Amino acid sequence: MIIVKDLHKTFEDNHVLRGVNYHVHQGEKIVVVGPSGSGKSTFLRCLNLLETPTSGEIWFDGQLITDPKVNIDKVRQHMGMVFQNFNLFNNHTIMENITLAPVKLKLMSKEEASENALSLLDRVGLRGKADSYPSQLSGGQKQRIAIVRSLAMNPRVMLFDEPTSALDPEMVGEVLDVMKGLAESGMTMVVVTHEMGFAREVGTRVLFMDEGNIMEENTPREFFNNPQCPRLQEFLSKVL
Amino acid sequence: MQTWFENVSKKFVMAFVEGDRWKLYLDGLGVTLEIAFFAAVLGLVIGTVVALMKLSVKKNGKKSIWSRIAGVYIDIIRGTPSVLQLLIMWFIVMKSCKNGVLVAVLSFGINSGAYVAEIVRAGILAVDKGQTEAGRSLGLSKAQTMIYIVIPQAIKNVLPPIGNEFIVLLKETAIVGYVSLTDLTRAANQITSRTYEAFMPLIGAAVIYFTIIKILTILLDKLERRLRKSDNR
């Protein structure tokens, strides 16, 4: 579904991604772990071109999206993204946050979008917050809304950029539960996270990134029980 | 005491009542407000467009040609006195135009636009980058993200400095006497030279400016408070 070929990204002198190759298949839940500065967030943000790759190719559903002629806005409609800092639109209510993109992009009528939004809000138990503003919600609630906002576009894949890193510890669970539910529904997911429990439980493949490349990739069982490369062994000994 | 009071009221009558002189202040105030209002509207339009131009980047992240043009405009306007800009507009650029008010509106509007552009640019930059990224990640275009997400939040940021700019602009119109328009300041000055009495006309004009600006300040405060309501922080 997503094919990444020899992906490089440099920020001025900083060579962040050094030739990443990967293939995400439909329905997979890819969990990306690694030390900070390893390029995992940059890798994720390249997948929907929030960062423009310096070189390399990214294919999504058979389309070469790194081609400058591609209308990236159209592509992004099918790729949901959830951010570390939620990034809910502060000037809009929760309902407007969820319906803005589908309505403005003329994918749904206002009524359809509202109905869809309410049923999605039910799924995360936040129907009562439809008319609140983001500033009135807790971090965990904001992140659940952010997930719902992406889902309202009916994406083919969901990208998560450290979705629980900015949360108070007691709110991490409620967000992970929503993500687990989403995984069970069959959504293709790429998740950058430090939650090893989530990686073990939900991931179909786990990637270890370090120094701008994928150093190891395996099933969660093999990844955690039988790590091969020394950097990963060292990493796991620190975080587990 | 008696004579002092008589003296003051005599001067007051001379400055405001005799020969229906109050009408001159009123006409002058009308010119001042007309120029200030239309120049403010023009400045707001120019400023917003120029701010967006200045923020525009090429695909590789470098400054666009639009950004450079906007930079040159802002540099020139901020680097020269507004009186000089007004004189240049009146005697050179629009030499054949006999409508002084129009010339003044254009001159002040173009002048104000440069300052408004910097205010709007700062207001847009102050909106968290994550807001733009979230909008773009949903498939909204650059323009849609600007219109529905960034600019509404930027407006809240820029309201106080924009209010300040309007106030500066209103007072700066006092220089239109240079191109023989009779605004409030010039009216007061003319009456001074006719009555050989400076105190009443000049202080009177000052009080009128002050009152207008005080009203403007109160209105802006109200607007700002209303916009902040959705924050609930």
Side-chain angles (χ1 to χ4, degrees):
Chain A
M1 178 182 247
I2 304 176
I3 302 168
V4 179
K5 284 185 193 162
D6 197 28
L7 182 67
H8 286 263
K9 175 69 185 175
T10 47
F11 294 102
E12 270 139 46
D13 307 334
N14 191 4
H15 203 158
V16 181
L17 295 179
R18 298 163 183 259
V20 178
N21 291 288
Y22 201 68
H23 190 159
V24 180
H25 297 90
Q26 174 130 25
E28 279 188 318
K29 292 92 180 76
I30 310 295
V31 181
V32 185
V33 302
S36 57
S38 60
K40 53 193 194 306
S41 276
T42 307
F43 169 62
L44 189 77
R45 289 162 57 85
C46 279
L47 295 183
N48 68 351
L49 300 198
L50 272 188
E51 300 293 354
T52 314
T54 310
S55 68
E57 293 182 354
I58 299 170
W59 296 74
F60 176 61
D61 274 345
Q63 187 183 19
L64 180 65
I65 63 172
T66 39
D67 183 342
K69 288 195 287 283
V70 166
N71 180 354
I72 190 61
D73 297 335
K74 274 264 183 281
V75 176
R76 286 186 183 136
Q77 292 179 16
H78 306 290
M79 303 173 109
M81 186 164 208
V82 174
F83 300 86
Q84 184 174 353
N85 296 317
F86 331 127
N87 294 340
L88 295 183
F89 305 136
N90 297 321
N91 57 323
H92 290 289
T93 63
I94 299 310
M95 178 54 88
E96 290 163 352
N97 262 276
I98 301 168
T99 58
L100 186 112
V103 173
K104 295 297 177 198
L105 295 170
K106 303 199 164 51
L107 304 173
M108 291 181 200
S109 71
K110 211 169 172 192
E111 292 70 35
E112 277 177 280
S114 304
E115 221 168 280
N116 185 35
L118 285 175
S119 73
L120 283 168
L121 282 172
D122 271 337
R123 240 168 89 180
V124 298
L126 289 171
R127 180 185 263 255
K129 298 290 183 190
D131 297 321
S132 304
Y133 280 92
S135 57
Q136 297 165 314
L137 304 187
S138 72
Q141 290 172 332
K142 280 185 204 174
Q143 196 60 300
R144 283 186 279 161
I145 298 294
I147 295 172
V148 163
R149 177 175 68 178
S150 291
L151 291 178
M153 293 292 292
N154 296 317
R156 309 246 300 117
V157 57
M158 285 284 284
L159 311 175
F160 292 85
D161 188 5
E162 302 198 27
T164 57
S165 297
L167 295 174
D168 289 340
E170 79 262 33
M171 292 172 183
V172 170
E174 66 191 57
V175 172
L176 291 182
D177 285 344
V178 171
M179 289 168 65
K180 279 176 204 165
L182 193 59
E184 279 158 20
S185 75
M187 177 66 75
T188 310
M189 294 163 68
V190 182
V191 185
V192 171
T193 187
H194 295 293
E195 295 290 329
M196 296 302 150
F198 180 84
R200 204 191 291 260
E201 204 180 318
V202 181
T204 54
R205 308 292 288 180
V206 185
L207 311 188
F208 175 67
M209 281 192 76
D210 195 24
E211 290 171 356
N213 227 321
I214 298 170
M215 307 295 261
E216 187 154 344
E217 97 55 54
N218 218 326
T219 61
R221 178 191 287 266
E222 285 296 306
F223 185 91
F224 287 107
N225 296 342
N226 193 15
Q228 301 297 315
C229 87
R231 292 298 312 258
L232 175 57
Q233 289 165 358
E234 190 194 332
F235 177 75
L236 288 177
S237 73
K238 277 183 197 153
V239 297
L240 288 179
Chain B
M1 189 67 200
Q2 186 83 21
T3 50
W4 179 83
F5 187 77
E6 266 171 26
N7 198 16
V8 168
S9 62
K10 209 179 94 196
K11 279 182 184 168
F12 183 87
V13 168
M14 194 162 72
F16 294 102
V17 184
E18 256 173 40
D20 279 345
R21 287 200 177 115
W22 56 273
K23 276 186 186 160
L24 295 176
Y25 296 95
L26 216 58
D27 290 347
L29 179 62
V31 171
T32 295
L33 291 179
E34 192 184 352
I35 295 171
F37 176 78
F38 289 108
V41 172
L42 183 62
L44 212 51
V45 173
I46 293 177
T48 308
V49 172
V50 171
L52 292 174
M53 279 170 66
K54 192 152 186 216
L55 286 169
S56 69
V57 285
K58 285 195 285 197
K59 268 230 161 92
N60 57 13
K62 294 219 173 83
K63 277 185 187 175
S64 69
I65 180 79
W66 297 113
S67 172
R68 286 174 202 282
I69 293 171
V72 169
Y73 158 71
I74 292 170
D75 272 355
I76 291 174
I77 296 298
R78 290 201 303 195
T80 52
S82 44
V83 184
L84 214 52
Q85 290 165 15
L86 181 65
L87 290 172
I88 288 170
M89 191 62 105
W90 178 242
F91 287 111
I92 302 171
V93 181
M94 299 189 65
K95 205 172 162 188
S96 53
C97 177
K98 295 283 164 276
N99 186 342
V101 171
L102 179 69
V103 172
V105 166
L106 283 176
S107 180
F108 284 110
I110 291 169
N111 176 276
S112 184
Y115 294 92
V116 171
E118 286 298 89
I119 294 171
V120 171
R121 191 171 69 91
I124 286 173
L125 288 177
V127 176
D128 182 17
K129 207 171 146 235
Q131 298 283 311
T132 307
E133 288 186 347
R136 296 305 305 277
S137 80
L138 288 165
L140 295 171
S141 69
K142 235 182 200 174
Q144 286 171 321
T145 307
M146 256 310 169
I147 293 167
Y148 300 119
I149 296 154
V150 178
I151 289 180
Q153 295 183 57
I155 287 174
K156 272 188 233 175
N157 295 339
V158 303
L159 206 61
I162 285 284
N164 193 42
E165 171 59 23
F166 285 167
I167 288 167
V168 170
L169 175 62
L170 179 75
K171 289 184 298 183
E172 209 163 57
T173 58
I175 60 173
V176 292
Y178 275 96
V179 294
S180 57
L181 284 171
T182 309
D183 70 321
L184 179 57
T185 301
R186 191 149 188 250
N189 205 14
Q190 282 172 346
I191 291 164
T192 300
S193 45
R194 208 162 307 161
T195 58
Y196 302 108
E197 188 56 63
F199 185 84
M200 281 293 170
L202 296 187
I203 296 295
V207 169
I208 296 171
Y209 275 112
F210 178 85
T211 311
I212 299 285
I213 285 167
K214 188 71 203 171
I215 293 169
L216 188 62
T217 308
I218 291 169
L219 291 178
L220 284 166
D221 274 353
K222 273 202 175 139
L223 182 62
E224 195 188 333
R225 228 170 301 150
R226 231 179 55 198
L227 287 180
R228 292 248 169 244
K229 252 187 195 156
S230 73
D231 281 2
N232 286 339
R233 276 189 261 247

